Amino acid sequence: MKVSPSIISSRLEFLHDEISRSVSAGASSFHLDIMDGNFVPNLTMGPDFISAVRRSTDLELDAHMMILNPDKYWKVFSKAGCDLFYFHYETPFNFREARKGIKEEKKSIGIVINPDTPPEKIVDFLPEVDKVLVMSVYPGFSGQKFIPSSTGKIAFLRKYIDENGLSCQIEVDGGIDSFTGAEVKRSGADIIVSASYIYGGKIEERIGELLRL
Ligand code: DX5
Ligand code: ZN
């Protein structure tokens, strides 16, 4: 199982160290929760913060854009150093145009669905995205409880991707610990995101546990 730590729950006063420890422990990318106070009722990081993360690691940086105007802002986050952009199905955006621009910059694109969005809605995007992200909590805050019905959505996407010979990877975000991580692995996920579980304990141990699932 690949692990993508969400640094939102790290000790931000020691961000560089928290990132270095996560890299040494075996993280394969970092998950950046970008919130605008509109699409979700919380505010987090902007481009300057992300530039600081970029200076701390060479690993892939995935922007989870929980913002109302992802079309308008992905370029600033690209300039700040993000490598992949997750667009929420629930936000208005022009997929064709965004994909074209992102690919011109030799970067990656992903689609993300909220807990109430059925996976059937996004199958047409799957051949054209690098990753699909299944939200297993309502976006906005870390530390929430995993929504059990997420496993059925992951299994649906796994089957669709395999049956159609697609290369898109499945990532799962929200309420992941060693128990729920094992469940999403069984359902067919390739990558798990975790914030409070990893940074609420000893980083090396927690990432190690998740990697071994
Ligand atoms: C929620 C974010 C998640 C969150 C995960 O809005 O998209 O990435 O930070 O936090 P945990 O792992 O604590 O559920
Ligand atoms: Zn996220």
Side-chain angles (χ1 to χ4, degrees), residues 122-143:
I122 53 155
V123 292
D124 290 345
F125 293 98
L126 296 180
E128 306 201 57
V129 296
D130 301 288
K131 287 182 180 173
V132 55
L133 182 65
V134 176
M135 288 309 298
S136 42
V137 297
Y138 289 94
F141 299 91
S142 55

Side-chain angles (χ1 to χ4, degrees), residues 51-125:
S51 305
V53 175
R54 180 74 289 167
R55 293 194 294 276
S56 290
T57 177
D58 294 329
L59 285 191
E60 176 179 314
L61 299 183
D62 294 353
H64 179 189
M65 299 194 291
M66 287 166 273
I67 60 180
L68 274 188
N69 302 102
D71 265 350
K72 193 169 161 194
Y73 289 108
W74 72 262
K75 280 196 178 137
V76 235
F77 288 112
S78 178
K79 213 160 167 226
C82 290
D83 301 298
L84 179 141
F85 306 90
Y86 272 124
F87 287 74
H88 261 275
Y89 173 78
E90 301 82 7
T91 53
F93 70 99
N94 183 323
F95 180 78
R96 290 262 132 262
E97 225 170 77
R99 186 178 185 280
K100 187 167 173 280
I102 289 169
K103 290 296 165 182
E104 275 168 10
E105 295 200 9
K106 308 234 176 309
K107 299 206 170 176
S108 305
I109 183 165
I111 186 97
V112 43
I113 48 170
N114 273 341
D116 293 338
T117 303
E120 289 85 351
K121 296 264 187 201
I122 53 155
V123 292
D124 290 345
F125 293 98

Side-chain angles (χ1 to χ4, degrees), residues 51 123 139 157 173 180 182 185 204:
S51 305
V123 292
L157 292 168
D173 183 13
T180 54
K185 184 180 184 184
E204 293 75 7

Side-chain angles (χ1 to χ4, degrees), residues 1-203:
M1 179 58 90
K2 290 191 205 165
V3 179
S4 184
S6 162
I7 54 167
I8 194 173
S9 295
S10 67
R11 295 176 304 161
L12 294 178
E13 67 278 33
F14 303 115
L15 184 60
H16 180 77
D17 285 354
E18 301 273 277
I19 289 175
S20 305
R21 286 175 62 189
S22 309
V23 173
S24 311
S28 51
S29 57
F30 283 97
H31 182 89
L32 304 167
D33 284 311
I34 300 165
M35 307 186 190
D36 68 351
N38 285 299
F39 179 63
V40 288
N42 198 4
L43 282 165
T44 53
M45 52 196 80
D48 292 342
F49 183 97
I50 283 164
S51 305
V53 175
R54 180 74 289 167
R55 293 194 294 276
S56 290
T57 177
D58 294 329
L59 285 191
E60 176 179 314
L61 299 183
D62 294 353
H64 179 189
M65 299 194 291
M66 287 166 273
I67 60 180
L68 274 188
N69 302 102
D71 265 350
K72 193 169 161 194
Y73 289 108
W74 72 262
K75 280 196 178 137
V76 235
F77 288 112
S78 178
K79 213 160 167 226
C82 290
D83 301 298
L84 179 141
F85 306 90
Y86 272 124
F87 287 74
H88 261 275
Y89 173 78
E90 301 82 7
T91 53
F93 70 99
N94 183 323
F95 180 78
R96 290 262 132 262
E97 225 170 77
R99 186 178 185 280
K100 187 167 173 280
I102 289 169
K103 290 296 165 182
E104 275 168 10
E105 295 200 9
K106 308 234 176 309
K107 299 206 170 176
S108 305
I109 183 165
I111 186 97
V112 43
I113 48 170
N114 273 341
D116 293 338
T117 303
E120 289 85 351
K121 296 264 187 201
I122 53 155
V123 292
D124 290 345
F125 293 98
L126 296 180
E128 306 201 57
V129 296
D130 301 288
K131 287 182 180 173
V132 55
L133 182 65
V134 176
M135 288 309 298
S136 42
V137 297
Y138 289 94
F141 299 91
S142 55
Q144 302 181 76
K145 215 170 157 296
F146 180 82
I147 299 171
S149 56
S150 313
T151 53
K153 296 168 74 173
I154 299 162
F156 172 91
L157 292 168
R158 174 83 280 148
K159 190 162 178 268
Y160 189 92
I161 288 169
D162 292 349
E163 283 180 358
N164 290 279
L166 305 178
S167 57
C168 145
Q169 292 186 289
I170 304 176
E171 186 162 325
V172 184
D173 183 13
I176 299 292
D177 56 21
S178 52
F179 181 75
T180 54
E183 275 185 53
V184 306
K185 184 180 184 184
R186 273 194 295 279
S187 310
D190 301 296
I191 309 157
I192 44 178
V193 173
S194 167
S196 54
Y197 187 64
I198 291 177
Y199 295 107
K202 190 156 186 261
I203 297 174

